[in-house]
Amino acid sequence: MHVIDSHTGGEPTRVILDGGPDLGSGPLAERARRLASDHADFYLSVMREPRGQPAMVGALLVPPTDPSCATGVIYFDAGAVLGMCGHGTIGLAVTLAHLGRIDIGTHKFETPAGIVEVTLSDANTVTVRNVESRLVQADAQVRVERLGTITGDIAYGGNWFYIIDPSPIPVTPANIRTLTDAGIAIRNAANAAGLGGEAGEPIDHVVFQEPPNTPGVHSRNFVLCPDDTYDRSPCGTGSSARLASLAARGTLAPGQEIIQQSVIGSPYHLSYQPGPNGGVLPTITGQAFVTANTHLMFDAADPFRDGIAL
Ligand code: PYC
């Protein structure tokens, strides 16, 4: 299986160029459902240790249904198949440029959440115009054992987010374990309480926001992903959901650019324009770097062929 690995602000992406399962030729959302229900062994074997690594997101290339798109792509981590992935889209654009498959300029990728537009400005810098993002419920409360009552915004940015601002725990690298445990408890409590999307979609990511400690930066976040690891980047879909929340609250004007940092300090430049359905059209700019161009091996005699499952 030929893969190219990259990282976007420290968050790894593995682009799978061949060897994926046959998912048919239907809409990408249907192909993503098929990947989740029928081929978990495939994506887990690529994402889990020892072949994969914590926080890695896979990007399986598939033919697009829309011929104007450079590729179709389905993203996943070791916990779930994703609707969209912002850092993965930046990594994918840099990877396709590395392979000589796209040039500097603007291209479209088809994802299960919809078509996104990417502009590759140089070998490493990419701007993503994400799918329309929206605030679903402001100030949704949930009781969480040991943490008390937590208040957060439910918002969509290609995945489903519960955004807590301000964070009850300082967003610092020293607190990554504490933030992870709190995020898992909050996600579980929110889903048990029935919080989520309009059609009952569960919360798949939890975001803690706090003011920056660097001049010129708007805010710093910690994002818990479905595989229970934290996003090393500021999370493209999470930043999109956050823009929708800021726009709905009237605290960020259309076109105003802000810098959002991740818990490890990697930045995205963010802005939005009003969307056609009452949400926002987010713009996310970040950088990715290729780290490996390699072939994965699957030995039938390997007791951990399908990855370590604890
Ligand atoms: O950048 O959208 C993102 C993302 C989702 C999960 C990990 N990164």
Side-chain angles (χ1 to χ4, degrees):
M1 184 182 295
H2 186 189
V3 301
I4 303 218
D5 292 349
S6 61
H7 78 86
T8 307
E11 178 75 355
T13 304
R14 171 164 284 171
V15 176
I16 299 149
L17 296 167
D18 59 33
D22 179 8
L23 300 171
S25 55
L28 259 76
E30 190 181 302
R31 285 188 249 174
R33 276 193 292 278
R34 213 154 146 193
L35 179 64
S37 60
D38 301 350
H39 300 286
D41 51 345
F42 157 74
Y43 74 82
L44 293 176
S45 70
V46 180
M47 290 293 102
R48 279 179 172 160
E49 294 179 79
R51 214 173 273 104
Q53 66 184 89
M56 180 172 254
V57 164
L60 175 64
L61 299 192
V62 295
T65 63
D66 181 331
S68 70
C69 292
T71 187
V73 57
I74 301 175
Y75 296 110
F76 46 84
D77 69 12
V81 174
L82 305 170
M84 219 315 264
C85 180
H87 93 267
T89 300
I90 294 170
L92 173 57
V94 165
T95 295
L96 293 181
H98 171 79
L99 290 169
R101 293 192 187 180
I102 62 170
D103 292 325
I104 301 293
T106 297
H107 310 273
K108 290 194 276 180
F109 298 162
E110 190 172 342
T111 79
I115 292 175
V116 299
E117 202 176 75
V118 299
T119 300
L120 181 73
S121 317
D122 59 41
N124 303 104
T125 310
V126 179
T127 297
V128 180
R129 274 166 292 279
N130 194 11
V131 295
E132 185 165 356
S133 302
R134 62 185 185 278
L135 176 67
V136 174
Q137 189 183 342
D139 298 327
Q141 292 201 322
V142 62
R143 264 208 77 74
V144 185
E145 215 178 310
R146 284 194 285 277
L147 294 175
T149 299
I150 300 289
T151 304
D153 284 357
I154 300 169
Y156 175 77
N159 296 301
W160 295 95
F161 293 85
Y162 185 67
I163 305 170
I164 301 143
D165 181 11
S167 173
I169 302 160
V171 175
T172 62
N175 284 337
I176 283 172
R177 185 66 259 165
T178 312
L179 289 159
T180 301
D181 291 343
I184 293 170
I186 292 168
R187 185 190 61 209
N188 292 345
N191 286 328
L195 299 185
E198 297 92 340
E201 297 90 343
I203 302 289
D204 43 35
H205 295 67
V206 174
V207 183
F208 294 102
Q209 287 284 162
E210 76 171 20
N213 53 11
T214 314
V217 172
H218 176 271
S219 43
R220 173 182 283 257
N221 73 12
F222 171 95
V223 182
L224 178 79
C225 296
D227 62 356
D228 293 347
T229 62
Y230 73 95
D231 198 329
R232 281 69 170 155
S233 81
C235 190
T237 51
S239 295
S240 300
R242 165 89 166 142
L243 286 170
S245 167
L246 293 175
R249 288 173 177 278
T251 52
L252 188 69
Q256 193 183 336
E257 187 175 284
I258 57 171
I259 298 174
Q260 163 88 43
Q261 268 183 345
S262 71
V263 63
I264 66 161
S266 46
Y268 279 164
H269 290 248
L270 307 173
S271 64
Y272 74 90
Q273 288 298 330
N277 302 304
V280 301
L281 295 172
T283 297
I284 305 142
T285 301
Q287 286 201 315
F289 295 85
V290 170
T291 54
N293 180 347
T294 189
H295 287 85
L296 303 182
M297 317 273 284
F298 298 81
D299 187 331
D302 179 355
F304 293 111
R305 182 181 186 279
D306 294 332
I308 300 170
L310 295 178

